[in-house]
Amino acid sequence: MSRYILGVTGASGAIYATRTAMHLKKLGHHVTALVTSPGCEVVAYEGQESLYDYCDELPGVNDFFAECASGSADYAGMVVVPCSMGTLGRMAAGTSDNLLVRSADVCLKERRPLIVVPREMPYNLIHLENMERLTRAGAVVIAASPQFYSKPTTMEELVDTVVAKILKHLGEETKIVEPWKKVDV
Ligand SMILES: Cc1cc2nc3c(=O)[nH]c(=O)nc-3n(C[C@H](O)[C@H](O)[C@H](O)COP(=O)(O)O)c2cc1C
């Protein structure tokens, strides 16, 4: 059992957070969710309140006394999904001005996995530069771009093609999506 931090922002795509939390729980892990205030609103607006059923801990996003604010706590890594351009910018600038951004900063300084899943289109230069900066600092940026070659038939299956990639980069072995095999066309 590992402890993971799940950062949820006010970007669209709350279902990505729900499915990530659900699969982490299925794998037997502990999930600490940090949801920004816009994140709470978008989770409700997109009908994803079931996210909270998969969270073991839900510290307030301004509770800097929470364990994940400190590098001494034993977290295995963090995913920010979906990641707004606002939070992306704050993480890239190292502002640490809420618990989500502080926890991401801690992951980078402790050289722990930080997966960032931005959701916006199109990107402006500021977004792209922030992604570059985070990548240089050690984060892995995974676009919320699902794949279609596994022929998903439901929204959950489609979303899981992104979640499988997130989990892979956390070092978690799953069979959510079968690996690509050569086919005759
Ligand atoms: C329904 C809805 C969808 C949104 N989708 C996005 C989005 O996909 N990407 C984004 O960067 N911001 C999006 N926003 C705007 C963010 O919620 C807003 O910039 C907010 O300040 C982000 O704050 P946070 O990073 O603290 O969560 C959306 C807002 C609403 C109300």
Side-chain angles (χ1 to χ4, degrees), residues 23-105:
H23 284 297
L24 284 172
K25 287 308 298 168
K26 273 191 181 170
L27 290 165
H29 299 306
H30 179 281
V31 177
T32 297
L34 305 176
V35 189
T36 64
S37 170
C40 287
E41 290 184 44
V42 174
V43 165
Y45 185 71
E46 295 186 347
Q48 288 298 316
E49 292 91 341
S50 62
L51 162 69
Y52 304 115
D53 298 340
Y54 304 114
C55 301
D56 298 286
E57 208 187 353
L58 202 65
V61 80
N62 291 312
D63 179 7
F64 290 101
F65 284 84
E67 280 184 42
C68 51
S70 168
S72 63
D74 63 339
Y75 284 94
M78 175 170 180
V79 187
V80 186
V81 62
C83 183
S84 71
M85 296 306 101
T87 290
L88 180 80
R90 285 187 281 279
M91 290 190 297
T95 60
S96 288
D97 56 348
N98 67 35
L99 185 59
L100 189 164
V101 179
R102 164 66 185 167
S103 301
D105 198 75

Side-chain angles (χ1 to χ4, degrees), residues 38-174:
C40 287
E41 290 184 44
V42 174
V43 165
Y45 185 71
E46 295 186 347
Q48 288 298 316
E49 292 91 341
S50 62
L51 162 69
Y52 304 115
D53 298 340
Y54 304 114
C55 301
D56 298 286
E57 208 187 353
L58 202 65
V61 80
N62 291 312
D63 179 7
F64 290 101
F65 284 84
E67 280 184 42
C68 51
S70 168
S72 63
D74 63 339
Y75 284 94
M78 175 170 180
V79 187
V80 186
V81 62
C83 183
S84 71
M85 296 306 101
T87 290
L88 180 80
R90 285 187 281 279
M91 290 190 297
T95 60
S96 288
D97 56 348
N98 67 35
L99 185 59
L100 189 164
V101 179
R102 164 66 185 167
S103 301
D105 198 75
V106 167
C107 281
L108 292 176
K109 84 181 174 74
E110 299 295 337
R111 308 296 195 266
R112 292 178 189 147
L114 172 64
I115 316 292
V116 177
V117 186
R119 215 307 315 170
E120 189 48 279
M121 64 165 77
Y123 296 127
N124 65 34
L125 183 60
I126 297 167
H127 303 153
L128 293 167
E129 286 181 351
N130 285 334
M131 286 183 223
E132 181 193 354
R133 197 169 165 83
L134 280 173
T135 301
R136 285 184 188 280
V140 174
V141 176
I142 294 180
S145 346
Q147 54 89 339
F148 294 84
Y149 54 77
S150 59
K151 303 190 177 157
T153 56
T154 64
M155 177 137 64
E156 286 73 17
E157 284 177 11
L158 189 68
V159 164
D160 280 358
T161 66
V162 173
V163 174
K165 188 67 83 173
I166 293 169
L167 295 175
K168 184 169 183 233
H169 281 270
L170 285 177
E172 296 292 338
E173 289 294 324
T174 70

